[in-house]
Amino acid sequence: MELRPGFTSRIGFILAAAGSAVGLGNIWRFPYLAGQNGGAAFLVIYLAFIFLLCFPVMVGEIAIGRAAGRDAYGSYTLLGGKRWGYLGLFGILAGIFILSFYNVVAGWAFGYFLEITFGNLLNEPNFRNFFGAYVSDISDNLWFSLGFMVITAFIVSRGIQKGVEAANKIMMPALYLILLVLIAYSLTLPNAWQGVRFYLVPELNEINARTIYDGLSGLFFSLSLGMGCLITYGSYISKDQNIVRSAAIISVADAMVAFLAGFMVFPMVFSQNISPTEGPALVFIVLPDIFQDMGPVLGRLVGGGFFLLLCFAALTSTISLLEVPTTYMVDQLKLNRKRVVWVLALLIFILGLPTMVSQGTVKAFSSLPFYLNRDFLTFISDMCDISLTVGGCLMCLFVLTTWKLKNLDAELAIGNPGYEHSFMRRYLSLMIGYVCPAVLGVLSLLIIDNYFGLGIFF
Ligand code: TRP
């Protein structure tokens, strides 16, 4: 195994991996899904799935990465031969596509942050109209998302230690801090407790197949699983790390941010007597309204703080996404990291242009033809959900059939004395070997069925 500089500490890796997981998914998607699906009931399901499905897959990915010590493609190839290498390549490609659209949405958040904090965005009379115009007129957004990509590339170009690890060590604690301050403020608003109650008292009768499905379909996206992101980060950790424990901490850290985001959002929403079931509009339309009502100074502070939080969450994720193809190029083709990063960033930015014009700018991309009938952004993020779920399923099958559970066990026992005979070992073998691939296989079919309206199950 070639030796390349990796994370300098256990906490460095944990923060970077948690930073990858914590993203727009937690702060933007989770609260609105919870709002639409019975509040706490959804939360319970979400948490259960994280620990039943995601935690084992996360352990598997990190173990593969550390065992092989190279990029996603190289790791699968080393441990399982050329054919499995394609799974790695598939993941790297998925990551490139994810970054291409993720960066556009991050650009919206970046623009909101700049224009609320330093501009006049809070004077807008109607945020629904504003947001519609904002995402369809790309003359501003082009620069915001380019700026976001440049910041991402700059950090990744500095390498794992001085770039990825250093940036996460600053941004992750800052993210938690901002989140806590905003929650504290949020809880002082009138009617705040009604929001908390809505969030925490489970409406059990609102749990149905749909709720469960909604909880599951975006789960791998939320935890950055299924495309080799954690194989890549895992390849940079040392043999004395306890992988099982680190994965548990990362899962908790991710779930915690999603959970806490609800405490920030719902009291705000209830304080304005707005329906908590607003959906994707929650962050860009409902919340700015609330910030506006706080008055020019407080609104700027709280609103600016909120969007800064969103930018940090997004940036720690885009960093991890860009690192995946970068590590691949550096490991496989022995290219210079700096040059690779900037070329990739430029290409991925260009790849994101169809997404950028898919919100009303260019008609062909705003409503795709035939049965696809959705905008390009929705289409490509749907495709990614499918790829990640299939990718996670195949990763488990790779461990079961090719790498073998005993090699997984052996890797996990390194840095984890007593693992050999623990209950955890039996649990993880059962989950990674049998339960996860079966559940993920079925889930992949459900997602494909649902997205393409095939009508087999739904
Ligand atoms: N998990 C991040 C979020 O919730 C997005 C993300 C970062 C991601 N890296 C990833 C998704 C790798 C899938 C794969 O916003």
Side-chain angles (χ1 to χ4, degrees), residues 20-26 98 102 220-225 227 229 254 317-318 320-321 388:
S20 167
V22 172
L24 298 169
N26 304 61
I98 293 175
Y102 201 89
F220 268 40
F221 186 88
S222 179
L223 279 116
S224 307
L225 295 173
M227 46 72 66
C229 196
D254 178 77
S317 295
T318 53
S320 75
L321 284 162
L388 298 177

Side-chain angles (χ1 to χ4, degrees), residues 206-269:
E206 289 201 30
I207 297 191
N208 51 37
R210 189 80 225 173
T211 325
I212 297 183
Y213 174 80
D214 278 347
L216 273 171
S217 59
L219 208 57
F220 268 40
F221 186 88
S222 179
L223 279 116
S224 307
L225 295 173
M227 46 72 66
C229 196
L230 289 174
I231 296 183
T232 306
Y233 271 6
S235 75
Y236 291 108
I237 64 177
S238 64
K239 291 284 183 193
D240 55 11
Q241 269 213 32
N242 181 335
I243 293 180
V244 174
R245 192 172 54 191
S246 297
I249 299 174
I250 296 161
S251 304
V252 171
D254 178 77
M256 186 88 97
V257 173
F259 180 60
L260 288 177
F263 281 104
M264 165 181 64
V265 171
F266 289 115
M268 289 189 193
V269 167

